[in-house]
Amino acid sequence: MNKALLTTTITLFLLFSGLAQAASSEVNVYSSRKEALVKPLLDEFTAETGIKVNLVTGKDDALITRLQKEGKRSPADLLITADAGRLYRAKQANLLQVINSDAVNSNVPAHLRDAENYWVGLTMRARPIFYVKEKVQASELSTYEALTASKWAGRICIRSSSNIYNQSLIASVIAADGETAAEAFVAGLVKNFARPPAGGDTDQLKAAAAGMCDIAIANTYYFGRLATSNKAQDQQVVNKLGVFWPNQQGRGTHVNVSGIGITQAAKNVPAATQLIEFMLTQQAQTWYAEVNNEYPVVTGVAPSATLTSWGEFKADATNLTKLGELNRRAVEVMDRAGWK
């Protein structure tokens, strides 16, 4: 075999070996998001790239524990959780590695990413105040902190302190105003509860619509799910409630993200990175907005018509890494205030 033919043969071998490797690539995803809220996108990624995605779903803490037990032998390449606080826990447990991607860094605002790029937000949701329109005027509302006023005694529904969305909300108050002010806020809020915390965010919205309270604090995508439901009883809930964006003259309304990180044990980092970048494309971000009723994290991608109907708002731009850093102090503050 002459030198030119040998070179051509080697080149073709390397080319086809590479293609074969790419075609057989697989990415394993551990996700706390329900299958319906993520699998359609994963299937689309596979259709576009030929990279198979294997999905395991479960509770956030259970998946983090599983990663810890599996250690370096874990098959997981990616971890998806429903909030920044648990991504922080995964990072602190040394379960994630840095995401090296210019596309990620340029597409997602810095406050919606880990300060050291160990995770990145995929979708954003806000935690505003929902009010019963027949009993409360929007002009009566202003900030989260104003809900401690005596006029709201016995009128507020919110889920328990064990819920990480509430822990992150209080962490954001600590970040903004300090622990002493946060403790005074939580004590005043608890004093005004309409009932002992029970149920999830949707339960708070339904309780308000049913007359059990006049104010509910919940994440926007729960309200969006009701707003896009075909069930008459869900529409009745939505029609009774208004959305109020608190703290617009100050730090802005509290927001959180669902997010993703590459595991420390990942066997296929390039494909895992490619999947993250895919989930941040305009196509994927639009899907999230339309199907999940969540706000895009990529600048320039429009929210869905449902989200737009609630109006624009100023979001708290505190780096969400703070929510994880201050989680323990938030829980302690809530415990001292008697928030069950």
Side-chain angles (χ1 to χ4, degrees):
M1 185 179 295
N2 62 43
K3 184 175 181 181
L5 180 59
L6 178 61
T7 301
T8 301
T9 301
I10 292 174
T11 301
L12 288 172
F13 172 79
L14 292 175
L15 174 62
F16 285 109
S17 294
L19 289 174
Q21 184 176 11
S24 63
S25 294
E26 293 188 6
V27 178
N28 298 316
V29 179
Y30 283 4
S31 171
S32 68
R33 306 222 72 180
K34 294 180 180 177
E35 183 172 314
L37 301 183
V38 67
K39 192 170 187 305
L41 277 181
L42 304 181
D43 290 342
E44 184 66 26
F45 173 74
T46 298
E48 289 194 11
T49 65
I51 299 173
K52 183 180 178 183
V53 181
N54 303 305
L55 177 66
V56 173
T57 59
K59 299 290 186 183
D60 294 275
D61 290 334
L63 292 176
I64 290 173
T65 300
R66 179 170 174 170
L67 282 171
Q68 289 175 307
K69 289 181 177 177
E70 292 174 342
K72 293 182 179 179
R73 293 176 297 176
S74 174
D77 296 295
L78 290 163
L79 173 67
I80 296 175
T81 75
D83 68 277
R86 285 195 174 88
L87 286 165
Y88 177 85
R89 291 180 189 173
K91 174 188 173 185
Q92 292 304 103
N94 198 32
L95 298 175
L96 302 180
Q97 60 178 286
V98 172
I99 302 170
N100 292 303
S101 168
D102 292 339
V104 169
N105 296 340
S106 61
N107 285 333
V108 181
H111 70 283
L112 301 179
R113 293 184 269 120
D114 174 64
E116 298 175 309
N117 287 334
Y118 277 79
W119 52 263
V120 60
L122 293 175
T123 63
M124 185 177 77
R125 80 294 302 267
R127 197 160 181 78
I129 297 170
F130 295 90
Y131 63 96
V132 180
K133 290 186 285 189
E134 292 180 351
K135 299 180 179 177
V136 178
Q137 298 296 317
S139 58
E140 298 180 80
L141 300 166
S142 57
T143 64
Y144 295 110
E145 290 81 355
L147 293 178
T148 62
S150 58
K151 67 180 288 187
W152 301 114
R155 302 174 69 184
I156 298 173
C157 282
I158 190 168
R159 65 200 292 179
S160 75
S161 62
S162 64
N163 172 251
I164 198 162
Y165 303 148
N166 284 336
Q167 294 171 7
S168 291
L169 170 63
I170 302 309
S172 77
V173 177
I174 295 174
D177 300 327
E179 188 166 330
T180 301
E183 187 155 352
F185 161 62
V186 173
L189 189 69
V190 170
K191 190 182 298 182
N192 288 343
F193 284 177
R195 59 177 187 171
D201 277 15
T202 303
D203 297 308
Q204 314 312 312
L205 298 169
K206 290 182 176 179
M212 297 177 68
C213 49
D214 298 336
I215 296 289
I217 297 177
N219 282 351
T220 41
Y221 64 85
Y222 292 100
F223 193 63
R225 192 177 298 165
L226 294 173
T228 55
S229 167
N230 293 323
K231 296 180 180 177
Q233 58 266 39
D234 291 341
Q235 290 303 313
Q236 290 173 1
V237 172
V238 171
N239 291 335
K240 285 184 178 251
L241 303 179
V243 183
F244 183 82
W245 305 109
N247 298 75
Q248 293 303 284
Q249 304 306 314
R251 64 183 182 274
T253 298
H254 171 63
V255 296
N256 204 330
V257 292
S258 70
I260 191 168
I262 301 175
T263 68
Q264 193 64 253
K267 310 296 188 300
N268 198 347
V269 173
T273 305
Q274 193 175 347
L275 177 53
I276 293 175
E277 292 172 346
F278 172 81
M279 297 177 87
L280 295 171
T281 59
Q282 179 166 352
Q283 160 194 357
Q285 291 286 294
T286 299
W287 184 88
Y288 271 127
E290 297 288 346
V291 178
N292 287 7
N293 297 296
E294 294 180 282
Y295 291 90
V297 295
V298 173
T299 305
V301 179
S304 68
T306 300
L307 298 177
T308 302
S309 69
W310 304 335
E312 296 183 356
F313 69 98
K314 174 184 175 183
D316 189 341
T318 300
N319 190 296
L320 296 188
T321 303
K322 282 289 181 184
L323 305 185
E325 293 176 352
L326 296 170
N327 178 271
R328 182 182 59 79
R329 290 168 62 186
V331 172
E332 291 172 352
V333 163
M334 298 162 90
D335 285 346
R336 289 197 293 270
W339 188 338
K340 302 299 184 184

